[in-house]
């Protein structure tokens, strides 16, 4: 894999002093981008980032699993309370919606 992609993952997760579901979500989300891009079989000159909508959706699906108590129990050996997990998941969803609205506003009036 290209070292640049691993640098991106390290940069996203490195600034956090403490772990948590949000940090884990970010790490898995960015790792999913790596998997998506490395799955493109093309000459380097023609490798391009896929559409933004597909790329973000592809990365969100596995990362949202981090908020599922069953997933947490399987991969982390313990789980956060369900209410806390759902609150964390919904805050990430609202953050994505807010970011999308901001981008639409910037496209309309840069």
């Amino acid at each position: 894999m290209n070292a640049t992609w691993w640098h991106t993952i390290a940069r996203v997760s490195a600034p956090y002093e403490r772990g948590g579901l949000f940090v884990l979500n970010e790490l898995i989300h960015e790792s999913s981008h790596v998997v998506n891009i490395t799955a493109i079989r093309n000459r380097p000159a023609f490798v391009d980032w896929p559409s933004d909508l597909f790329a973000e959706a592809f990365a969100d699906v596995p990362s949202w699993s981090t908020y599922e108590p069953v997933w947490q129990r399987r991969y982390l050996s313990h789980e956060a309370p369900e209410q806390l997990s759902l609150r964390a998941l919904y805050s990430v969803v609202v953050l994505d919606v807010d970011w999308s609205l901001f981008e639409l506003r910037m496209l309309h009036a840069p």
Side-chain angles (χ1 to χ4, degrees):
M1 277 188 208
N2 188 333
T4 305
W5 294 109
W6 288 113
H7 180 264
T8 300
I9 292 171
R11 185 174 35 130
V12 167
S13 61
Y16 300 103
E17 293 179 11
R18 288 181 239 148
L21 292 177
F22 181 77
V23 176
L24 184 59
N25 173 282
E26 281 291 314
L27 182 62
I28 293 174
H29 177 91
E30 297 305 324
S31 298
S32 298
H33 286 311
V34 173
V35 170
N36 187 6
I37 295 300
T38 56
I40 297 172
R41 302 285 183 219
N42 214 344
R43 290 187 6 215
F46 297 108
V47 172
D48 193 14
W49 192 257
S51 73
D52 289 340
L53 177 62
F54 176 76
E56 291 306 314
F58 183 89
D60 278 341
V61 170
S63 68
W64 285 356
S65 295
T66 59
Y67 298 106
E68 296 292 331
V70 173
W71 187 95
Q72 294 168 10
R73 196 171 32 257
R74 180 174 181 181
Y75 295 106
L76 305 175
S77 299
H78 48 279
E79 63 192 68
E82 185 177 14
Q83 185 178 13
L84 179 67
S85 292
L86 286 174
R87 189 178 305 133
L89 170 62
Y90 294 149
S91 67
V92 171
V93 171
V94 170
L95 180 64
D96 282 347
V97 170
D98 289 343
W99 189 256
S100 298
L101 292 172
F102 171 73
E103 287 180 346
L104 286 172
R105 190 170 183 182
M106 292 303 293
L107 287 171
H108 182 262

